[in-house]
Each structure stands twice: as C-alpha cells, then as structure tokens.
Amino acid sequence: GAVVSQHPSRVICKSGTSVKIECRSLDFQATTMFWYRQFPKQSLMLMATSNEGSKATYEQGVEKDKFLINHASLTLSTLTVTSAHPEDSSFYICSARASGTFSYNEQFFGPGTRLTVL
Amino acid sequence: GDSVTQMEGPVTLSEEAFLTINCTYTATGYPSLFWYVQYPGEGLQLLLKATKADDKGSNKGFEATYRKETTSFHLEKGSVQVSDSAVYFCALSDLQAGTALIFGKGTTLSVSS
C-alpha cells in the first residue's frame, strides 16, 4: 500500500529557531502534497498545497514567509517553520496525493509531527 | 465553499452498543466522501470512502452510505469495541480535480467495557 513518512515525529525547540519537517512518499510518486495543522482536540486545517517543481499555494491566513514549503522531488516535500514561537506549537500532518491507476488521486497521510516551541 | 458538518462529541458508549456518527456536507460539485480515524497520538488513517451517490463504504465493521438526496454520509457500526475509541473525521474531496480534503471538526468516541 501507499506509505507516507514524516520526520521528525516529535521536536522540541527554543523560541526563535527554525524547524524543518520532511514528508516523504515511500512507494509512490506524489506530484502534490498537502500540509495540515491540527490544534489539540480540533480538526485539521489545510495550510498549503505543495506542487513538485513550483511554488506552494497557501491558504488564506497562513504566512508563507513563516511556513516555507519546498517540494523539490516527486517523493519529498519539506515544511520549515521559521523563527518559531510558542503559538506555532501544534501537530503538523502532511498528505501525498497518489495518481495513476494505483489509487486515483487519493491522499495518503503521514503520521504527523508534534512541534513544541518553548 | 465546500464544507463538512459532523455531530459534536464526545460520544460515550458501552462495548457492543450501536454507533452512529452523523455527517452532512455542502459541495458545489460531486465530491468523494471519506471517514478517517485518528487513534490517540497517531496520524490519520482512512477508514472508508465512497466516490458516488448510493455507494456504501465499509471497513472493520463500519459502514457509511453516500446519500446525495440528504447530503449525508453517516458512519455506523453495529457493535463497537473498546479498541474503536478514537477521533473520527468526516471529509470530502473532489478526487477528479485532486483537491485537498476538507474535514469536519471530528467526533471523539469513547467505548468502555
């Protein structure tokens, strides 16, 4: 089946530092990946859509200079939280969209990254 | 825009009880509908899906039928287990356009023995 990994699974950092989160599709190619944010006991909110080889599309209210997204290959997208602050603490989840006969445009989720900013 | 509304939780049941979690949607096109489950401390797992009206998705004893006339996709299970305790999310997406999933707020299910 389709597997999406995220690294790290958990990260604690000091306020003002930057943190990079990787999202990889392990056994399929994903031209599109999505980044979501989940606050405690709340739903997933789409942050941005990441397309391989082009700039990400950010949802309204999401600061693109704060949350840098790079999708340099068909199997890897990265989210960098720049100058992180405690309010950025959250659960970040990526999903990768499969294409072709394998699973028509279905999305597969990574296990998530718990970011805690002190 | 498109949206998903699901019943507020938490839902607390005894083992072997019948479960229904209501979900309704608003969409301009013809979305596919999904139920995802999130166990404590884990990511989302696809539970079941339906891609067109009257389709029934099923998995692990859970079922949901895509009802276009009532714009609903209610999740049901005849006999819940303690291991079903989790947060359940209803979601929609336009698979043909490959759009991102739009999620409901989630319903927490707690099953006691």
Side-chain angles (χ1 to χ4, degrees):
Chain A
V3 178
V4 176
S5 70
Q6 274 185 249
H7 178 80
S9 58
R10 195 177 290 266
V11 58
I12 300 173
C13 69
K14 291 182 179 180
S15 186
T17 60
S18 294
V19 174
K20 180 185 284 188
I21 302 169
E22 293 185 347
C23 177
R24 292 181 186 272
S25 56
L26 298 185
D27 48 4
F28 66 98
Q29 294 185 332
T31 54
T32 301
M33 292 184 176
F34 302 95
W35 287 95
Y36 297 85
R37 183 173 179 177
Q38 184 180 29
F39 291 100
K41 301 188 185 301
Q42 294 190 28
S43 188
L44 281 75
M45 301 300 296
L46 178 67
M47 297 175 67
T49 301
S50 168
N51 293 299
E52 186 267 336
S54 64
K55 290 184 178 180
T57 303
Y58 291 81
E59 295 299 300
Q60 192 171 11
V62 178
E63 300 174 60
K64 61 181 180 182
D65 294 330
K66 173 90 175 154
F67 299 99
L68 299 178
I69 292 173
N70 183 277
H71 193 158
S73 78
L74 288 172
T75 59
L76 173 65
S77 176
T78 60
L79 167 68
T80 301
V81 183
T82 62
S83 186
H85 290 283
E87 58 266 28
D88 299 323
S89 298
S90 194
F91 194 51
Y92 292 88
I93 304 174
C94 74
S95 71
R97 189 175 77 195
S99 58
T101 57
F102 160 48
S103 188
Y104 183 64
N105 273 343
E106 187 169 333
Q107 292 179 37
F108 299 92
F109 284 82
T113 297
R114 173 78 58 194
L115 170 63
T116 302
V117 185
L118 302 177
Chain B
D2 295 357
S3 65
V4 175
T5 303
Q6 61 182 104
M7 63 186 285
E8 297 283 329
V11 174
T12 304
L13 296 173
S14 298
E15 206 164 23
E16 299 183 4
F18 183 84
L19 168 71
T20 299
I21 300 177
N22 290 337
C23 171
T24 56
Y25 69 91
T26 302
T28 52
Y30 301 96
S32 295
L33 301 174
F34 306 81
W35 277 101
Y36 283 85
V37 59
Q38 185 177 34
Y39 297 101
E42 299 184 14
L44 268 70
Q45 299 176 27
L46 177 64
L47 181 60
L48 54 84
K49 68 178 181 182
T51 58
K52 62 182 186 297
D54 299 325
D55 268 2
K56 177 187 282 190
S58 61
N59 185 25
K60 299 180 182 178
F62 290 90
E63 292 183 341
T65 301
Y66 190 149
R67 301 284 187 202
K68 188 178 177 183
E69 62 276 16
T70 54
T71 62
S72 65
F73 192 56
H74 304 322
L75 182 69
E76 295 182 338
K77 186 174 186 181
S79 176
V80 293
Q81 305 300 311
V82 173
S83 57
D84 294 326
S85 298
V87 182
Y88 293 81
F89 292 94
C90 185
L92 68 80
S93 172
D94 184 337
L95 275 184
Q96 194 150 12
T99 59
L101 285 154
I102 296 172
F103 288 89
K105 292 188 175 181
T107 302
T108 299
L109 170 65
S110 179
V111 180
S112 58
S113 58

